[in-house]
């Protein structure tokens, strides 16, 4: 262990490729985290049960077990933030891991800035009070011309009120409350339309297109509602300490 304070958040890295583990360790230690490492699912489970981490970085392609199963298993007893690391050809795996309760994902290769930004968002959402309107505990979201009052359920663009239907508002509010974090099609459908609608991916597509027309300064080049191809949507994070 290094000479960092014991208060530094502990991050568990579960990844079988040694060069990637080394890269992650160096990046995290340089940013003030403490790090514990495991190269297999079995060792990873032992690690996170013995010294519960503040966040888990989990590779989906482990030699002994499927990373998705590990997400489901950990979610059985812990709500610790889990950011999954996936290869380019693991699209379906990645979506399944998110639907099973992982908080976010990074596709290899990723940059240190991307990694640290995703981790900050996941940690911030985790400490959020359930009563708070969004990650910062505020009930008003403001980024550029867009302002959203989550208590009054009103949305403004350049001080002009934007009229939204109930479903449009619910969808936008869900995205804003999770700003910076990817939400899968399934999660959006379940939360806004209900559990019977989880396969109706086109609902989300249509409603996002309508929302973009109403709130995006340039709907063709979205600034707020970002598409995560094949996964879902991510609302732009205007929170503290984010990178472009
Ligand atoms: Ca691997």
């Amino acid at each position: 262990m290094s000479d960092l304070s014991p208060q530094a958040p502990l991050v568990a890295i579960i990844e079988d490729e040694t060069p990637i583990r080394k890269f992650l360790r160096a990046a995290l230690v340089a940013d003030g985290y403490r790090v514990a490492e495991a190269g297999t699912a079995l060792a990873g489970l032992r690690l996170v049960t013995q010294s519960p981490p503040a966040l888990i970085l989990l590779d989906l392609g482990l030699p002994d077990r499927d990373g998705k199963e590990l997400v489901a298993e950990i979610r059985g007893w812990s709500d610790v933030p889990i950011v999954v690391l996936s290869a380019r050809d693991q699209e379906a795996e990645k979506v399944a891991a998110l639907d099973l309760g992982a908080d976010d994902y990074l596709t290899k290769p990723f940059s240190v800035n991307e990694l640290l930004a995703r981790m900050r968002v996941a940690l911030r959402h985790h400490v959020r009070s359930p009563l708070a309107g969004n990650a910062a505990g505020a009930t008003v979201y403001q980024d550029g011309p867009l302002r959203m009052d989550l208590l009054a359920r009103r949305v403004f663009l350049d001080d002009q009120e934007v009229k939204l239907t109930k479903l449009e508002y619910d969808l936008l509010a869900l995205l804003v409350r999770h700003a910076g974090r990817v939400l899968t099609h399934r999660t959006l459908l379940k939360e806004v339309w209900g559990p019977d609608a989880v396969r109706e991916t086109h609902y989300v597509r249509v409603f996002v297109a309508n929302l973009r027309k109403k709130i995006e300064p340039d709907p063709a080049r979205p600034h707020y509602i970002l598409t995560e191809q094949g996964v879902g949507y991510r609302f732009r994070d205007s929170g503290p300490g984010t990178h472009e």
Side-chain angles (χ1 to χ4, degrees), residues 14-17 20 39 59-63 85 87 90 108:
I14 309 175
E15 161 69 74
D16 60 321
E17 286 166 73
I20 298 180
D59 176 31
L60 286 180
L62 293 168
L85 311 175
Q90 287 178 317
K108 296 172 184 174

Side-chain angles (χ1 to χ4, degrees), residues 33-50:
Y33 292 98
R34 288 181 301 139
V35 170
E37 295 172 35
T40 63
L42 187 66
L45 268 182
R46 205 180 299 133
L47 192 75
V48 300
T49 47
Q50 281 170 358

Side-chain angles (χ1 to χ4, degrees), residues 184-224:
T184 62
H185 295 121
R186 190 184 178 86
T187 299
L188 294 167
L189 286 160
K190 195 171 92 197
E191 296 296 323
V192 176
W193 282 269
D196 294 338
V198 293
R199 287 174 205 284
E200 314 292 337
T201 311
H202 60 283
Y203 290 1
V204 183
R205 219 169 25 240
V206 170
F207 273 73
V208 165
N210 288 343
L211 273 178
R212 280 176 172 157
K213 277 183 216 142
K214 294 186 179 186
I215 68 159
E216 295 282 2
D218 179 1
R221 297 180 52 207
H223 172 82
Y224 296 111

Side-chain angles (χ1 to χ4, degrees), residues 41 58-62 65-72 84 93 97:
L58 173 66
D59 176 31
L60 286 180
L62 293 168
R65 263 182 87 186
D66 188 335
K68 295 197 301 289
E69 283 176 30
L70 215 55
V71 172
V84 297
E93 299 282 297

